[in-house]
Amino acid sequence: MTYLVFVCGHSGTGKTTLAKKLFGSLMQASGAPFCLLDKDTLYGGYSAAAMAMLTGDPNDRDSPLFLQHLRDPEYRSLIDTARDNLELGVSALVVAPLSREVRERRLFDRAWLGVGEKVTLRVVWVYTEEETAHRRIVERGNPNDAYKLAHWDEYRQRRFVPGGKVCDDLLMFDNTAPTSADHEALLARIIGEPYPAATMQPPLPV
């Protein structure tokens, strides 16, 4: 059995930290080999070079130009890379905001993803309060966040909390101050079966 697990959410919610914390335990609990596909790691260098050429600002990830012309190809390539691994029998833990795709329910559309029924599909939405996310973004000091912070009132309009039918099958995770029990419960929901706390693995070194 292979798994396609998306860890999604707005900037500053701690998606990558959560994914790395779950990674070892997820492999152990599922019995499947996994790869970690983080959008920023895979495409950050390319996007920096492209935006430097187009606008002179390699750290721009939130301007209308980036969102209209580079965002969707990045996400499509990310999903294509996950699918290539799945076809080789390697499960994928995919980390990216993917807010539009969550809102439009595309991550549950197997035809759009290009995956069959034998792939176990899970979508985790990671969230925290806006003030907490803003503080985390400031504290991490990533140059890619400069546009976002300078245009916060504009950016915050894109933030949303899934509700209604959007939440069907969506695994919501409050990452404000999670406990070990919270991580274990999330892992059990991803695997779809009880998972003993004693077997949780420590996070991978960053």
Side-chain angles (χ1 to χ4, degrees), residues 105-205:
R105 300 280 299 172
R106 289 187 178 183
L107 300 184
F108 294 101
D109 185 342
R110 291 179 181 270
W112 187 81
L113 293 170
V115 301
E117 294 295 331
K118 292 184 178 179
V119 175
T120 299
L121 187 59
R122 298 286 188 266
V123 183
V124 180
W125 179 263
V126 186
Y127 66 96
T128 189
E129 293 182 353
E130 179 184 333
E131 293 76 10
T132 301
H134 185 276
R135 174 176 52 80
R136 289 176 177 174
I137 293 170
V138 171
E139 289 175 350
R140 70 189 181 190
N142 189 329
N144 292 342
D145 294 322
Y147 185 97
K148 186 184 289 95
L149 291 172
H151 302 81
W152 187 259
D153 285 342
E154 173 189 329
Y155 167 73
R156 68 192 300 269
Q157 301 304 315
R158 304 206 312 265
R159 289 177 53 90
F160 74 101
V161 177
K165 290 188 177 297
V166 173
C167 288
D168 289 352
D169 300 319
L170 195 65
L171 305 183
M172 302 289 290
F173 187 80
D174 185 349
N175 206 27
T176 303
T179 65
S180 295
D182 294 327
H183 291 127
E184 291 154 12
L186 175 61
L187 188 61
R189 295 179 71 194
I190 292 173
I191 299 302
E193 59 188 32
Y195 187 61
T199 58
M200 276 293 291
Q201 299 296 306
L204 297 176

Side-chain angles (χ1 to χ4, degrees), residues 4 6 8 71-73 75-76 79 98-115 121 123 166 168 170:
L4 176 54
F6 290 100
C8 313
R71 177 200 183 276
D72 288 354
Y75 284 146
R76 186 73 259 175
I79 291 169
L98 287 161
S99 55
R100 186 187 307 165
E101 289 73 14
V102 167
R103 180 181 284 151
E104 296 174 355
R105 300 280 299 172
R106 289 187 178 183
L107 300 184
F108 294 101
D109 185 342
R110 291 179 181 270
W112 187 81
L113 293 170
V115 301
L121 187 59
V123 183
V166 173
D168 289 352
L170 195 65

Side-chain angles (χ1 to χ4, degrees), residues 12-150:
T13 55
K15 299 181 296 295
T16 299
T17 300
L18 176 63
K20 289 181 176 180
K21 186 173 187 62
L22 294 176
F23 189 84
S25 299
L26 188 55
M27 284 200 299
Q28 182 179 357
S30 65
F34 266 80
C35 65
L36 175 66
L37 303 177
D38 188 306
K39 184 184 79 73
D40 289 341
T41 302
L42 285 171
Y43 301 108
Y46 168 80
S47 294
M51 293 307 292
M53 181 179 69
L54 292 170
T55 68
D57 182 3
N59 301 313
D60 177 1
R61 297 294 189 282
D62 292 282
S63 70
L65 187 148
F66 178 86
L67 295 174
Q68 291 171 16
H69 298 287
L70 291 180
R71 177 200 183 276
D72 288 354
E74 278 193 0
Y75 284 146
R76 186 73 259 175
S77 297
L78 181 67
I79 291 169
D80 290 346
T81 302
R83 190 176 60 250
D84 281 349
N85 280 275
L86 291 166
E87 290 173 353
L88 295 172
V90 179
S91 296
L93 183 59
V94 179
V95 183
L98 287 161
S99 55
R100 186 187 307 165
E101 289 73 14
V102 167
R103 180 181 284 151
E104 296 174 355
R105 300 280 299 172
R106 289 187 178 183
L107 300 184
F108 294 101
D109 185 342
R110 291 179 181 270
W112 187 81
L113 293 170
V115 301
E117 294 295 331
K118 292 184 178 179
V119 175
T120 299
L121 187 59
R122 298 286 188 266
V123 183
V124 180
W125 179 263
V126 186
Y127 66 96
T128 189
E129 293 182 353
E130 179 184 333
E131 293 76 10
T132 301
H134 185 276
R135 174 176 52 80
R136 289 176 177 174
I137 293 170
V138 171
E139 289 175 350
R140 70 189 181 190
N142 189 329
N144 292 342
D145 294 322
Y147 185 97
K148 186 184 289 95
L149 291 172

